[in-house]
Amino acid sequence: MFEVKGRGASGQSLEDQIGQDEDYGLKPMNCPGHCLLFSSRRRTYRELPIRFADFGALHRNEISGALSGLTRVRRFHQDDGHIFCRPSQIADEITASLQFVAMVYKTFQLPPFRLALSTRPESSFIGTVAEWDRAEDALKKALDNSGQNWTLKEGDGAFYGPKIDVVLRDSDGKEHQAATIQLDFQLPRRFGLQYDAPMPEREILGQPLDESESQEAAGPVTPVIIHRAVMGSIERFMALLMEHYNGRWPFWLSPRQCIVLTVSNKVPGLRAYVDEVAEAVSGAQRSGQKVTAPVKPQRMDSQMFAVDIDDSDRSLSKKISEAKRKGYGMILVAGKRSLEKGTVELDMTALTSFDTARQLLCELAGVDAVGSGRCVQLTPEMMRRYSCVLSEHYL
């Protein structure tokens, strides 16, 4: 828990210079900062829910024996979100958060996850039993509405509120907590957070108000905080992804999306053509090239892709073998015939979700042109369009 102290807090002197005679520390979590944002001005019930998000670096002094690769580190980044809501909004916000988690994990093609509800500890909890019962009922309702199986962990909640854990299993069978959704009644009280609402007695109990009652005299009510992390620690999440994909990343996420291979270095003009192909597909000017046009900022909605070139003096079969071993999603081959026709040959068989990716290419180029997907004749412009389609479908 936190206590509010320092410049501007109750009983503290305002005479200290900013940046002088002050203590600094490494930030362990984002909750206090978001509470200060909420309290920066007066709030009313019509503004809620208010959602803050933060991807900043956090620090935890984990004991050395607990540190393990990327899964447990002392400095990490978390997709931290805090939802300040009315008691009557808890169920809807929890449901929306669970839907958000399901959408994100489906997009990353992760295996099915496990949901676990942790309830009030037997002792050493803060708040009243009635508050805990209302909170747990709201979480159970949201879990039932999610349509997913969930388990109950009696007495395993934090001392300040119940929580929902999303548990993923890695390739070795070990379980890791990824997402977490936690209710918190105590932190808003510690920071003195309030919003104005009519009939505060009913508002606290989460009872809805009709239009006539909304005109009643307003009073202060303490909001509820929902701590929400979809991926949790980004470092741990990346470790799970690396093990899950086992070197075969989806095209939209891959650091090696595409490579252009030359058949022979003896073809005049082929190297310059390969540069043009790479630039057309990637959407960015190749590094090392002379800038001839005026420099302009990229459009905010422009898509760019990682396109490498292998023009080494080796056989084409060795280049292709190496490209597949390195995990390139799409392999383009350019030779004398490609130069004459203004095309490249695409091998897309290394793409994940191959059947879906092939169907999308058939819609662009036609079934006959695609064939097995191993040697597809495409123009650089068509390759660019196909790359954008794959990215838009998160394949």
Side-chain angles (χ1 to χ4, degrees), residues 248-325:
R248 292 193 64 199
W249 294 78
F251 177 82
W252 72 276
L253 196 59
S254 175
R256 291 174 172 169
Q257 294 175 310
C258 182
I259 188 170
V260 187
L261 311 178
T262 56
V263 174
S264 172
N265 292 335
K266 298 179 181 179
V267 180
L270 182 60
R271 186 61 178 83
Y273 176 67
V274 166
D275 281 334
E276 294 175 8
V277 170
E279 186 172 323
V281 176
S282 69
Q285 189 171 26
R286 300 290 297 173
S287 61
Q289 290 187 343
K290 185 177 180 180
V291 178
T292 56
V295 178
K296 296 181 180 179
Q298 284 280 355
R299 286 170 52 98
M300 293 296 292
D301 61 348
S302 63
Q303 292 178 297
M304 291 185 286
F305 304 100
V307 181
D308 295 326
I309 294 174
D310 184 353
D311 62 344
S312 60
D313 192 16
R314 297 181 295 164
S315 66
L316 181 60
S317 60
K318 289 184 177 180
K319 294 180 184 180
I320 293 175
S321 177
E322 181 180 83
K324 290 185 175 180
R325 189 171 64 252

Side-chain angles (χ1 to χ4, degrees), residues 143-161:
L143 286 169
D144 289 337
N145 292 338
S146 71
Q148 300 190 53
N149 295 328
W150 57 278
T151 58
L152 188 64
K153 298 170 71 174
E154 290 278 5
D156 200 44
F159 64 92
Y160 52 85

Side-chain angles (χ1 to χ4, degrees), residues 145-180:
N145 292 338
S146 71
Q148 300 190 53
N149 295 328
W150 57 278
T151 58
L152 188 64
K153 298 170 71 174
E154 290 278 5
D156 200 44
F159 64 92
Y160 52 85
K163 64 175 180 175
I164 297 173
D165 288 330
V166 177
V167 182
L168 284 173
R169 190 185 299 271
D170 64 21
S171 58
D172 294 328
K174 183 179 179 181
E175 290 189 332
H176 299 270
Q177 177 191 321
T180 183

Side-chain angles (χ1 to χ4, degrees), residues 8 22 27 44 60 78 95 166 183 198 202 240 275 330:
E22 293 183 299
K27 183 171 68 170
T44 71
R60 308 277 172 86
Q78 182 167 289
T95 298
V166 177
L183 283 186
R202 292 185 59 183
L240 293 172
D275 281 334
M330 295 195 292

Side-chain angles (χ1 to χ4, degrees), residues 37 88 231 269 318 330 381:
L37 283 175
S88 61
M231 291 179 279
K318 289 184 177 180
M330 295 195 292
E381 292 73 21

Side-chain angles (χ1 to χ4, degrees), residues 106-240:
K106 182 180 178 181
T107 301
F108 282 103
Q109 303 172 16
L110 289 170
F113 51 83
R114 182 169 64 85
L115 295 174
L117 171 61
S118 299
T119 59
R120 172 172 51 85
E122 292 185 5
S123 59
S124 302
F125 61 89
I126 299 177
T128 66
V129 174
E131 287 177 334
W132 278 82
D133 289 343
R134 287 198 301 271
E136 290 171 7
D137 288 342
L139 293 183
K140 290 176 182 177
K141 180 181 177 182
L143 286 169
D144 289 337
N145 292 338
S146 71
Q148 300 190 53
N149 295 328
W150 57 278
T151 58
L152 188 64
K153 298 170 71 174
E154 290 278 5
D156 200 44
F159 64 92
Y160 52 85
K163 64 175 180 175
I164 297 173
D165 288 330
V166 177
V167 182
L168 284 173
R169 190 185 299 271
D170 64 21
S171 58
D172 294 328
K174 183 179 179 181
E175 290 189 332
H176 299 270
Q177 177 191 321
T180 183
I181 301 170
Q182 177 119 30
L183 283 186
D184 190 345
F185 303 95
Q186 310 310 320
L187 196 61
R189 292 173 181 166
R190 288 270 179 150
F191 280 81
L193 305 184
Q194 292 181 336
Y195 65 94
D196 293 330
M199 303 187 70
E201 302 82 5
R202 292 185 59 183
E203 177 73 14
I204 292 172
L205 298 176
Q207 299 175 354
L209 304 176
D210 56 35
E211 282 297 322
S212 60
E213 292 172 325
S214 65
Q215 306 302 319
E216 298 288 335
V221 181
T222 300
V224 178
I225 293 180
I226 300 176
H227 303 260
R228 185 225 69 200
V230 176
M231 291 179 279
S233 162
I234 303 303
E235 287 76 5
R236 178 189 301 162
F237 194 75
M238 286 298 296
L240 293 172

